[in-house]
Amino acid sequence: YTTDTKSKEENKKTIESLYSLSVDVKKIRRLKEWVLLQDVAYVKEIAGILKEMGADQTAVANILERCPEAILHTPEEINSQRALWQLVCQNEKQLIKLIEQFPESFFTTKYHQNQKANIIFFQELGLKNNIITRFLTSAPSIFYNPVEKNKNVIETLQRNYLNLGGSEANMKIWILKLLSQNPFILLNTSTTIQENLEFLQKNDFSDHEVLQLLSKLKGFIFQLNSTTMQKSMHFSKTVFKCSDQELKQLVLRCPALLCYSVPILEERLEGLLKEGISTAQIRETPMVLELTTQIVQYRIKKLSALGYDIKTGNLESLNGTKKDFEVTYGKIQSKKERPIFNPVAPIHTED
């Protein structure tokens, strides 16, 4: 491929058209030179369609710099894609904003028919258009599947949800929530989903507990396999010196013990022990293993600056999202800064 492109010359007409639109050709040359070597390109036409949708000169230049292969699509292909995305976009203003942010997703026209069938399927399933647009931009690959494959995965999830004791009334909400949290579950096969659920059942998790884990793990469990889950559970059992029943309770409290690989768990555990935290403390608050070593170190440092000793304190103060931690930190800080006098008592001043 390299030899072929090296022997070809850049298309002068393409270069001139790009320059006329103030596109940084050097940038394209550096990143995707092969685009400039093609005999046929539709620079003016594609720029025209983007302007028609409301993009100004700067936006057009940015889009073509980020995704130069856009100029290799015919105007017909791009207009078809435009009509397709309009099925879920409120208006062209929103559409052009999405194209500016995610040009690669929009200009992938190869799977047009699959994309269309999947958009209609997701709408029929009950997903809101704003969720579908989020999928189109952040998880475009799920639209490349034939719609039958996606339907198959959804049917497998629905069947298992009911088999595990979920109610028919709640099933739709459960499926939509799972998809919204992790659309990539659609990239799995029905067999993988089935095998992973059976693995949990074989490890004595009740149907109710399996459902609980699925919701907590936001569907990530389907991107694992039974071998890695088995190894992670064995590692936790050894480290925390616990029985099968105790291990199960730990996993239910901290599903990360199930879905992180042994090397990741080892590294996080080591990071905590280096900070002087005991294994007993970690076992008491296993959720701390959901945090990377860097986050843990940063949070410990911030708390230490307030005089809070994590070795004797509660590990709960390290947990949660960034927002959760800021709330905890704020509470500890205000407690430390609280005045010792009664702020509502009258102040006696001399006349």
Side-chain angles (χ1 to χ4, degrees):
Y1 180 81
T2 318
T3 322
D4 288 346
T5 56
K6 288 292 174 200
S7 62
K8 286 182 83 172
E9 281 188 12
E10 286 182 354
N11 185 326
K12 286 191 175 69
K13 194 181 168 192
T14 302
I15 303 284
E16 283 165 17
S17 300
L18 288 168
Y19 274 131
S20 72
L21 292 164
S22 307
V23 173
D24 185 347
V25 177
K26 281 182 186 172
K27 194 175 179 183
I28 296 177
R29 212 172 261 140
R30 196 172 66 246
L31 300 172
K32 292 181 180 177
E33 193 196 16
W34 60 272
V35 172
L36 305 173
L37 308 175
Q38 306 307 311
D39 297 329
V40 182
Y42 302 92
V43 185
K44 286 176 180 167
E45 293 86 341
I46 302 309
I49 293 171
L50 291 170
K51 283 176 181 173
E52 226 177 81
M53 283 192 263
D56 60 19
Q57 180 99 352
T58 313
V60 171
N62 283 339
I63 290 166
L64 298 185
E65 279 167 19
R66 282 187 60 194
C67 185
E69 57 269 41
I71 64 173
L72 304 179
H73 293 292
T74 65
E76 291 74 30
E77 285 175 325
I78 298 311
N79 277 323
S80 296
Q81 199 71 342
R82 175 184 179 178
L84 182 65
W85 281 47
Q86 279 175 327
L87 292 174
V88 287
C89 285
Q90 293 166 354
N91 48 42
E92 293 216 312
K93 191 181 174 186
Q94 188 201 5
L95 175 54
I96 201 67
K97 200 175 172 187
L98 288 174
I99 297 171
E100 277 185 73
Q101 291 174 294
F102 309 94
E104 291 87 357
S105 301
F106 179 78
F107 289 108
T108 302
T109 62
K110 192 179 167 186
Y111 308 94
H112 185 80
Q113 288 311 316
N114 283 358
Q115 285 181 332
K116 188 173 184 178
N118 278 308
I119 284 175
I120 293 164
F121 167 59
F122 291 142
Q123 286 176 326
E124 286 169 353
L125 199 62
L127 277 172
K128 289 189 167 65
N129 283 343
N130 63 326
I131 302 285
I132 300 174
T133 52
R134 200 181 82 213
F135 289 178
L136 276 169
T137 52
S138 60
S141 50
I142 67 168
F143 292 87
Y144 307 159
N145 285 337
V147 71
E148 290 72 29
K149 185 197 176 290
N150 285 341
K151 279 183 179 173
N152 203 351
V153 170
I154 296 294
E155 281 163 11
T156 304
L157 288 169
Q158 289 171 328
R159 191 172 56 250
N160 278 294
Y161 178 76
L162 294 174
N163 289 345
L164 292 166
S167 72
E168 189 86 51
N170 291 333
M171 184 175 70
K172 187 180 175 181
I173 296 165
W174 183 79
I175 287 283
L176 295 181
K177 192 177 177 186
L178 201 62
L179 272 180
S180 305
Q181 290 171 330
N182 182 15
F184 294 104
I185 54 174
L186 291 169
L187 298 179
N188 298 298
T189 63
S190 307
T191 319
T192 310
I193 291 173
Q194 205 66 51
E195 282 172 0
N196 287 0
L197 292 175
E198 282 168 13
F199 167 81
L200 293 173
Q201 287 169 317
K202 279 175 192 164
N203 277 275
D204 290 331
F205 286 94
S206 69
D207 289 353
H208 174 70
E209 287 166 344
V210 173
L211 263 188
Q212 206 181 317
L213 278 173
L214 294 190
S215 302
K216 277 189 178 180
L217 281 166
K218 300 173 183 175
F220 287 108
I221 191 167
F222 302 132
Q223 283 153 258
L224 306 169
N225 62 62
S226 51
T227 313
T228 53
M229 287 194 280
Q230 189 69 63
K231 284 178 181 171
S232 298
M233 283 175 73
H234 178 71
F235 172 78
S236 299
K237 190 179 177 181
T238 310
V239 165
F240 297 119
K241 298 181 175 63
C242 54
S243 67
D244 288 345
Q245 189 55 35
E246 287 168 333
L247 175 66
K248 203 174 81 164
Q249 292 310 313
L250 277 178
V251 169
L252 287 169
R253 284 173 62 207
C254 176
L257 295 175
L258 193 67
C259 64
Y260 287 139
S261 65
V262 171
I264 289 175
L265 290 172
E266 269 178 330
E267 185 211 333
R268 293 186 179 184
L269 194 76
E270 209 174 291
L272 289 161
L273 296 175
K274 271 184 186 168
E275 295 292 337
I277 293 164
S278 68
T279 313
Q281 275 178 293
I282 301 166
R283 181 175 165 169
E284 201 58 45
T285 317
M287 293 76 77
V288 77
L289 290 166
E290 291 175 1
L291 305 169
T292 66
T293 305
Q294 289 80 357
I295 291 173
V296 166
Q297 286 169 342
Y298 167 76
R299 291 182 180 183
I300 288 175
K301 203 173 173 184
K302 279 200 82 171
L303 291 171
S304 297
L306 294 178
Y308 185 89
D309 185 5
I310 202 72
K311 292 190 277 289
T312 54
N314 191 335
L315 293 192
E316 284 287 348
S317 50
L318 292 175
N319 280 343
T321 60
K322 187 182 177 184
K323 199 175 173 183
D324 296 334
F325 175 71
E326 292 303 333
V327 170
T328 307
Y329 177 79
K331 282 178 184 172
I332 294 170
Q333 193 177 32
S334 60
K335 207 173 180 182
K336 188 175 181 286
E337 290 169 359
R338 195 172 291 150
I340 45 175
F341 64 90
N342 182 351
V344 292
I347 295 169
H348 299 288
T349 54
E350 288 177 21
D351 290 326

